[in-house]
Amino acid sequence: MIEQILITIATAATPLLIAAIGELVVERSGVLNLGVEGMMIMGAVTGFGVALTTGSPWLGVFAAILVGALFSLLFGFLTLTLVTNQVATGLALTLLGLGLSGMIGEAFVGQPGVKLAAIYIPGLTDIPFVGRLLFGQDPLFYVSILLTVGVAWFLFRTRAGLTLRSVGDNHGSAHALGINVIGIRYLAVMFGGACAGLAGAFLSLVYTTQWIENMSAGRGWIALALVVFASWRPLRVLAGAYLFGAVSIGQLHAQALGIGIPSQLLSALPYLATILVLVLISRNRRLTMINTPASLGRPFVPDR
């Protein structure tokens, strides 16, 4: 029973972790992309459609990553090249993704999907209690962990990571040193879009193997909140994702046990927890500012 609960928590946390890690890299470069929800839902419908059409869930995963990256390029072109407002453009991207995915996915409603099979390692997966939890998860679970460790290493152990953080902290000084600020931000935005698309593919190919309109259900917004909650540190994003995953699964178990609380309130618990965490963090200005990229959300126009 406990093993199954832990597995479901890991499943609920994985899309949050993937999307949040991508957005963390974007924000570390000084760009605020509020379009995570839109890119995630486009990844979900693309992954489902391609997997259903070809019979290959892996082709669905790659297609979702590609669509997420292409959607992020639209955001990058508008905000980095045309210097539009990042907040307004991100919100528009989310609305576009939700509407477009509903139109594309109309033909997929009610159709059984193609599931990305879990890994089975003889001997290890069969270990009591921890076998399925550690060695029997779907491949994207392990990808999420590798992404977290890889991003942490990249940001704080490599010269390229230092360059990206310098762009996010002071794009004027970085430009004066000859760093291609716009180019680096484009790459960061594309990475964040690819991660959001991958998170969407997880929803439609692992979490639930069917297409449901608006199936991202606000997870993109929770991923955005996770980045702030973790104060822009990858390993804290990992802890936060599993905390929010536990809250999500906890409310489902509470409903199953028939606890005398309205089901609507229980369903709102993950979002209430998000708001509560953000309120608590905002009260501590030092904690909020200590890792916040100084150029976050500020437009950059190189001198000519």
Side-chain angles (χ1 to χ4, degrees):
M1 177 65 176
I2 296 177
E3 180 189 24
Q4 188 58 44
I5 291 175
L6 293 176
I7 291 173
T8 52
I9 288 174
T11 303
T14 297
L16 299 177
L17 177 58
I18 295 173
I21 282 293
E23 178 61 17
L24 183 145
V25 172
V26 177
E27 294 190 14
R28 276 287 187 174
S29 74
V31 178
L32 177 62
N33 185 357
L34 298 183
V36 177
E37 182 84 359
M39 295 184 294
M40 185 183 290
I41 195 67
M42 283 301 297
V45 70
T46 302
F48 183 89
V50 171
L52 182 66
T53 304
T54 64
S56 170
W58 281 110
L59 284 178
V61 169
F62 293 133
I65 292 172
L66 178 61
V67 165
L70 289 176
F71 239 59
S72 70
L73 271 179
L74 173 61
F75 172 85
F77 175 72
L78 291 172
T79 59
L80 301 177
T81 301
L82 301 184
V83 200
T84 60
N85 182 276
Q86 293 181 13
V87 173
T89 305
L91 292 174
L93 191 69
T94 288
L95 294 175
L96 175 63
L98 291 172
L100 188 58
S101 65
M103 182 181 69
I104 295 172
E106 188 175 0
F108 303 139
V109 174
Q111 296 195 40
V114 181
K115 186 176 180 63
L116 186 63
I119 290 174
Y120 178 78
I121 304 175
L124 294 177
T125 305
D126 299 322
I127 297 175
F129 189 72
V130 297
R132 284 186 59 206
L133 180 63
L134 298 180
F135 307 108
Q137 298 274 13
D138 64 275
L140 298 188
F141 163 80
Y142 303 103
V143 169
S144 70
I145 303 299
L146 289 175
L147 267 177
T148 304
V149 175
V151 166
W153 173 80
F154 169 78
L155 287 177
F156 302 107
R157 292 290 185 271
T158 68
R159 184 181 182 86
L162 177 62
T163 301
L164 183 140
R165 287 189 289 123
S166 70
V167 167
D169 285 333
N170 193 323
H171 51 216
S173 296
H175 176 67
L177 291 172
I179 296 172
N180 185 353
V181 173
I182 299 298
I184 288 174
R185 286 184 170 175
Y186 258 110
L187 291 174
V189 165
M190 287 182 65
F191 177 79
C195 287
L198 178 61
F202 181 92
L203 293 177
S204 60
L205 298 177
V206 177
Y207 195 78
T208 171
T209 53
Q210 57 182 327
W211 165 252
I212 303 171
E213 190 173 354
N214 296 333
M215 67 186 303
S216 53
R219 289 180 177 86
W221 300 111
I222 294 179
L224 284 162
L226 270 175
V227 177
V228 181
F229 167 79
S231 59
W232 293 268
R233 306 286 292 195
L235 298 183
R236 294 179 189 173
V237 169
L238 174 66
Y242 277 82
L243 174 62
F244 281 93
V247 173
S248 301
I249 296 304
Q251 59 95 4
L252 294 177
H253 284 285
Q255 291 184 40
L257 293 173
I259 295 175
I261 301 175
S263 60
Q264 294 86 351
L265 178 60
L266 290 172
S267 298
L269 277 180
Y271 311 102
L272 292 174
T274 302
I275 294 171
L276 178 61
V277 165
L278 291 177
V279 169
L280 292 176
I281 290 175
S282 66
R283 290 174 61 87
N284 189 334
R285 184 167 178 81
R286 180 178 178 276
L287 180 62
T288 303
M289 298 301 294
I290 191 170
N291 288 314
T292 306
S295 296
L296 181 61
R298 290 169 49 197
F300 173 73
V301 180
D303 297 330
R304 290 178 173 87

